[in-house]
Amino acid sequence: MTSPEPVLPADAGDLLVSIVVIGRNEGIRIAQCLESVQAMVRDNFTIELIYVDSGSVDASVALAAERGASVIALKPKHPTAALGRNTGWRAANGSVILFLDGDTILHPRFVADCLAEFRVPEVAVVWGHRRELYPERSLYNRILDLDWIYRPGPTPYCGGDALFRRSVLERTGGFDEKLIAGEEPELCWRIAALGFVILHVDHPMTGHDLASTRWRQYWKRATRAGHAYAEVADRFRATSQPLWSEESRRNRNRALLILAACLGGFFGSILLASLLPTALVCALFVTLAIRSAWRARWKTSDPITLSLYGAHSLIEQIPIYCGQLQYWWNRRRGKRSTLLEYKEM
């Protein structure tokens, strides 16, 4: 860090916080998100609310305008979350930017309780707890709710909802608009390289509506994660501080192990005319799932949710690896990947 960032004044009454919400075909979810922003506690700052729409074909733009947001409607050929966020913060006037995804509900006290963290000059990003709004609506919501749980403290990166110093966004140039996923970790890597801190605080931040009720949605979401792993890891592979290279390698090895075990069990049972090879493979998978559930026990005390999460940790390796293969296949052909959307209108 070449020079410390200015700290927030002790009296932040004149501070302007810009809320940048991005969305695409969120429907009623965008209305609920913006209503939660308007209801936030703001006794020590003022806000401006900006909604950036990425080519919605539903009523999102009208719903946002009705709820007091300044609307920027994009019609990009290749929409990305990074493009929406960059458009929003560059049009904003605040010295602190809160990014929100359009499928989230903001906790009313998050910003008011967390602005003081920026009095530490090294802190560039502050983010809190995101949890699923409706875990009871599907197994996918229930399982993936645990993926949002992180221990408080300095972290390598944040998610899509977070408070940023505007000055740091200006120094880094913001998000990489070519990335269809993984744009937050990529930006945080560059921020950390400047000597700044990404801070996860022990405060509720947002509720998220995953709206995942089908296997196809679950698969596409995991595929998108794999694509992000591969693309971001490839970008920083030759640097002194690679990002996601280990995660990409680990996913590849796990996926290949699972596929090899399945094939070995299947053909072993045929060749030996016995169910024993298949049973051994099943026992291996159960053991791996139990191990994953045990490691995640600090996230919940619900044994059923933990069991499901253990199975998910195993199953998701296949679509994540498919996402990695998709990235490398497109890269070899010189083809740019397009947005991978898992939600249905």
Side-chain angles (χ1 to χ4, degrees):
M1 186 166 56
T2 57
S3 61
E5 295 297 305
V7 297
L8 295 180
D11 180 7
D14 294 329
L15 176 68
L16 175 63
V17 177
S18 298
I19 319 293
V20 175
V21 182
I22 62 168
R24 175 179 165 87
N25 297 321
E26 293 293 352
I28 191 63
R29 289 188 291 266
I30 196 63
Q32 294 168 341
C33 176
L34 298 178
E35 287 168 2
S36 73
V37 172
Q38 296 289 17
M40 68 192 291
V41 174
R42 56 183 100 167
D43 52 3
N44 58 345
F45 60 92
T46 57
I47 71 166
E48 66 173 350
L49 177 55
I50 299 171
Y51 170 62
V52 183
D53 186 87
S54 294
S56 292
V57 295
D58 64 2
S60 293
V61 169
L63 288 170
E66 290 170 2
R67 282 151 182 83
S70 298
V71 177
I72 302 174
L74 304 177
K75 299 290 183 181
K77 182 178 180 181
H78 299 290
T80 64
L83 173 61
R85 293 193 184 107
N86 281 345
T87 301
W89 76 260
R90 287 168 182 160
N93 298 299
S95 57
V96 175
I97 311 292
L98 172 64
F99 292 108
L100 293 176
D101 290 341
D103 56 3
T104 59
I105 301 295
L106 177 66
H107 188 278
R109 290 213 56 90
F110 172 68
V111 177
D113 290 344
C114 297
L115 278 176
E117 302 293 346
F118 288 112
R119 293 200 178 106
V120 178
E122 293 77 18
V123 173
V125 183
V126 178
W127 61 295
H129 300 302
R130 174 195 264 203
R131 297 299 298 271
E132 282 304 310
L133 289 167
Y134 311 110
E136 75 284 352
R137 289 187 178 178
S138 74
L139 288 177
Y140 307 110
N141 288 3
R142 182 177 182 178
I143 295 166
L144 294 170
D145 178 47
L146 298 191
D147 273 349
W148 301 129
I149 302 176
Y150 290 80
R151 297 187 189 277
T155 54
Y157 47 81
C158 65
D161 306 333
L163 285 162
F164 280 73
R165 288 186 190 268
R166 180 192 180 91
S167 56
V168 172
L169 290 169
E170 291 172 343
R171 287 181 63 172
T172 57
F175 299 91
D176 188 329
E177 297 174 7
K178 295 179 182 179
L179 293 174
I180 64 171
E183 68 280 352
E184 306 98 341
E186 191 275 340
L187 172 57
C188 287
W189 184 94
R190 289 185 280 121
I191 290 174
L194 293 174
F196 291 103
V197 173
I198 294 89
L199 182 64
H200 182 39
V201 293
D202 193 13
H203 290 280
M205 178 179 62
T206 49
H208 179 252
D209 185 6
L210 186 65
S212 183
T213 59
R214 295 185 175 92
W215 168 259
R216 183 170 178 268
Q217 293 173 284
Y218 173 85
W219 182 277
K220 289 182 70 174
R221 185 175 184 272
T223 300
R224 187 180 70 169
H227 189 286
Y229 276 168
E231 186 168 15
V232 173
D234 184 36
R235 178 165 303 187
F236 295 112
R237 190 177 307 278
T239 68
S240 60
Q241 293 179 304
L243 177 61
W244 280 352
S245 294
E246 179 61 25
E247 287 83 351
S248 299
R249 183 194 63 79
R250 190 183 302 120
N251 164 247
R252 179 199 65 205
N253 292 345
R254 289 174 177 174
L256 293 177
L257 171 64
I258 291 169
L259 293 173
C262 288
L263 290 174
F266 176 74
F267 287 111
S269 290
I270 292 177
L271 292 174
L272 298 176
S274 169
L275 291 177
L276 180 60
T278 299
L280 291 174
V281 170
C282 290
L284 170 65
F285 289 165
V286 169
T287 301
L288 293 175
I290 291 174
R291 186 182 68 170
S292 295
W294 178 255
R295 289 177 173 176
R297 67 190 185 281
W298 64 275
K299 296 186 176 187
T300 180
S301 59
D302 182 2
I304 296 177
T305 301
L306 275 176
S307 298
L308 293 170
Y309 188 77
H312 149 74
S313 299
L314 195 65
I315 294 169
E316 70 170 349
Q317 302 303 321
I318 302 302
I320 289 176
Y321 185 53
C322 287
Q324 290 208 61
L325 292 176
Q326 179 181 339
Y327 166 74
W328 287 109
W329 174 245
N330 286 338
R331 185 178 184 276
R332 182 174 182 179
R333 293 188 300 161
K335 179 181 177 182
R336 181 179 179 181
S337 300
T338 56
L339 187 65
L340 296 172
E341 295 183 288
Y342 64 90
K343 286 190 176 179
E344 298 177 359
M345 295 174 56

